[in-house]
Amino acid sequence: MKVRVHITLKPGVLDPQGAAVRRSLDSLGFGGIEKVRQGKVIELDLKETDVLKATAQVEKMCEKLLANTVIENYSVEIL
Amino acid sequence: MKVRVHITLKPGVLDPQGAAVRRSLDSLGFGGIEKVRQGKVIELDLKETDVLKATAQVEKMCEKLLANTVIENYSVEIL
C-alpha cells in the first residue's frame, strides 16, 4: 500500500526556505505571488494492506520520527 | 488561488534521504516498509484566479526554478 505524508510548517512558524523561493521567483519576473511555503513529502510503500492499520502506523511514524510536531503539521493520505 | 506543487525524484535516481528515513524507521521497530522516497512540497498563494493561467504560470516556475527537471518530476495541483 502506498501512503503519502505531507509535512508542513505550522502557520506562524517562520519559513526562510519559502521566503527565499518567493524572492527568487520575484526576481525571475513571476508576479502576483502572495505567499510561498515549503514542506516535505514522504512516500512510503508498506506491506500492510489494511487502510486503518496503515494510517495508524504512519501516524505513529510521524509522531516519532518524520515530523517535529512542535513546529510542523502532518497529514497522511492513502494513494 | 492556492496551488500545491509536488517535486519528487525520478524513478531510478538515488534517494539517500529516503534511504536514511527508511533505516531510521526500521531501527525504531517499524516493520513492513518496502520503500521510502522523500520529496518537496511547495504551496503558493497566487493573485491569479484563472485555473488554466495559474497552472501554466506554476509549470513555468517549476521549469525555471522549483524543480531540477533532469532528476526530478513535478506535479501541479490546484487547491
Side-chain angles (χ1 to χ4, degrees):
Chain A
M1 176 171 291
K2 281 205 168 202
V3 184
R4 183 185 280 161
V5 182
H6 282 123
I7 297 163
T8 49
L9 287 167
K10 290 189 178 176
V13 177
L14 274 182
D15 179 5
Q17 257 187 314
V21 168
R22 198 209 150 139
R23 273 197 308 277
S24 302
L25 287 171
D26 273 341
S27 71
L28 284 171
F30 291 103
I33 302 169
E34 285 172 345
K35 208 169 77 175
V36 180
R37 303 280 283 176
Q38 182 164 342
K40 285 179 284 187
V41 58
I42 298 172
E43 290 179 356
L44 301 132
D45 279 11
L46 300 180
K47 281 191 190 133
E48 183 62 62
T49 52
D50 182 273
V51 171
L52 286 181
K53 277 188 197 163
T55 307
Q57 192 188 20
V58 173
E59 280 174 357
K60 249 190 217 163
M61 291 175 189
C62 289
E63 295 286 338
K64 278 211 173 174
L65 178 76
L66 303 180
N68 175 352
T69 53
V70 177
I71 56 166
E72 291 172 327
N73 287 328
Y74 62 84
S75 65
V76 176
E77 180 191 357
I78 304 285
L79 298 181
Chain B
M1 177 172 289
K2 282 206 167 202
V3 184
R4 183 185 281 161
V5 182
H6 282 122
I7 298 163
T8 49
L9 287 167
K10 289 189 178 176
V13 176
L14 274 183
D15 179 6
Q17 256 187 315
V21 168
R22 196 209 151 139
R23 273 197 307 277
S24 302
L25 287 171
D26 273 342
S27 71
L28 284 172
F30 292 103
I33 302 169
E34 284 172 345
K35 207 169 76 176
V36 179
R37 303 281 283 174
Q38 181 163 340
K40 285 180 285 187
V41 58
I42 297 174
E43 290 179 355
L44 301 133
D45 278 12
L46 301 179
K47 282 190 189 134
E48 183 61 62
T49 52
D50 182 274
V51 171
L52 287 180
K53 279 187 196 165
T55 306
Q57 192 188 20
V58 173
E59 281 174 355
K60 250 190 217 162
M61 291 176 191
C62 289
E63 294 287 337
K64 279 210 170 174
L65 178 76
L66 303 180
N68 175 353
T69 53
V70 177
I71 55 166
E72 292 173 323
N73 287 328
Y74 62 84
S75 66
V76 176
E77 179 191 359
I78 304 285
L79 298 182

